Amino acid sequence: MYNISGESTMVNYPNGKKSTWAHSTASAGGRGMALEKDINKSNDSYLSQDIAVIHKKPTPVTIVKVDYPNRAAAKITEAYFKIPSTTDYNGIYKGRYIDFEAKECASRTSFPLKSIHLHQIKHLDSVIRHGGIAFVIVRFVEYDETWYVEASRMIEFYSTASRHSIPYDWFRKNGILIPASYIRPVDYLKIVDRLYFSKGGTTSDGS
């Protein structure tokens, strides 16, 4: 199995391994926030129209060190995950549990596998085995394309990969472009409907 360990001097897991804290403005510089904002806006629309209840998961952390560059602002410079984070979002739709990870990719040619950690892959696999709907959303920023990838396909690539990234063309063959509108910039439930709730809809996880 392809195994990835993140590297960072900023945030640590309880076992001592270091990893990037995506929510730290000091370490991430706002990377991924555009996609997160669009997904949150879509989720707000689903909730307000009583379509689905899906939220971003909170990430429990212990703050170790805070710098105060001025009186009006504080900057977290070191923090520890209380537990390794799983995925970004979860909730319920039409009686089915939904769980997914969302990532932005700056490359035009490939998606780095280090963006998704082994414990997240295991979590997505567990969701599938227990009858939930699991997937990964990847936005290629340079193309302004947001792809829906069934978790089973991502798990298969991750588990058998002989390289450190997923080629962009793989997403064109294995992913589904997510439609967008002003109200729902990432309308991923349209894809979920097509795969899981439409007549004749089939998925690679066997549901």
Side-chain angles (χ1 to χ4, degrees):
M1 175 174 286
Y2 189 84
N3 198 345
I4 299 175
S5 60
E7 295 294 336
S8 172
T9 58
M10 304 301 295
V11 180
N12 303 272
Y13 286 125
N15 61 8
K17 290 184 179 180
K18 297 183 176 182
S19 179
T20 301
W21 181 26
H23 300 284
S24 169
T25 56
S27 61
R31 289 174 295 181
M33 296 303 292
L35 177 58
E36 179 180 314
K37 182 178 179 181
D38 285 348
I39 293 175
N40 290 344
K41 184 175 181 179
S42 301
N43 287 344
D44 288 343
S45 174
Y46 296 146
L47 184 63
S48 66
Q49 296 188 33
D50 199 27
I51 294 172
V53 180
I54 302 170
H55 295 288
K56 181 171 175 60
K57 300 177 187 177
T59 304
V61 297
T62 298
I63 298 173
V64 176
K65 184 178 180 181
V66 180
D67 287 344
Y68 296 90
N70 57 65
R71 293 183 179 181
K75 183 173 71 173
I76 298 171
T77 57
E78 186 175 357
Y80 290 82
F81 285 113
K82 292 181 181 178
I83 57 174
S85 60
T86 53
T87 46
D88 289 330
Y89 293 88
N90 70 340
I92 189 166
Y93 177 56
K94 294 184 177 180
R96 295 285 298 274
Y97 176 76
I98 283 182
D99 197 298
F100 65 93
E101 177 71 7
K103 296 292 185 182
E104 282 195 353
C105 179
S107 171
R108 298 176 63 90
T109 59
S110 63
F111 172 78
L113 278 179
K114 67 181 180 180
S115 296
I116 297 183
H117 299 281
L118 178 60
H119 67 272
Q120 293 175 315
I121 289 293
K122 290 181 176 179
H123 173 77
L124 291 170
D125 183 60
S126 294
V127 171
I128 294 172
R129 288 189 291 102
H130 286 277
I133 297 172
F135 53 93
V136 179
I137 292 177
V138 176
R139 172 173 289 174
F140 281 86
V141 178
E142 292 296 320
Y143 297 117
D144 193 24
E145 293 176 351
T146 306
W147 294 89
Y148 177 112
V149 179
E150 295 170 72
S152 56
R153 295 180 184 271
M154 184 68 75
I155 292 167
E156 181 182 8
F157 189 100
Y158 192 103
S159 301
T160 60
S162 58
R163 52 181 294 162
H164 295 279
S165 62
I166 305 177
Y168 168 73
D169 285 343
W170 183 91
F171 288 88
R172 293 176 59 88
K173 296 175 182 177
N174 294 275
I176 303 172
L177 276 175
I178 301 175
S181 66
Y182 177 75
I183 299 299
R184 297 173 190 162
V186 184
D187 198 359
Y188 59 88
L189 286 186
K190 284 189 175 180
I191 309 301
V192 173
D193 274 334
R194 185 193 312 176
L195 295 176
Y196 292 88
F197 298 104
S198 65
K199 292 183 178 180
T202 59
T203 64
S204 57
D205 62 15
S207 57

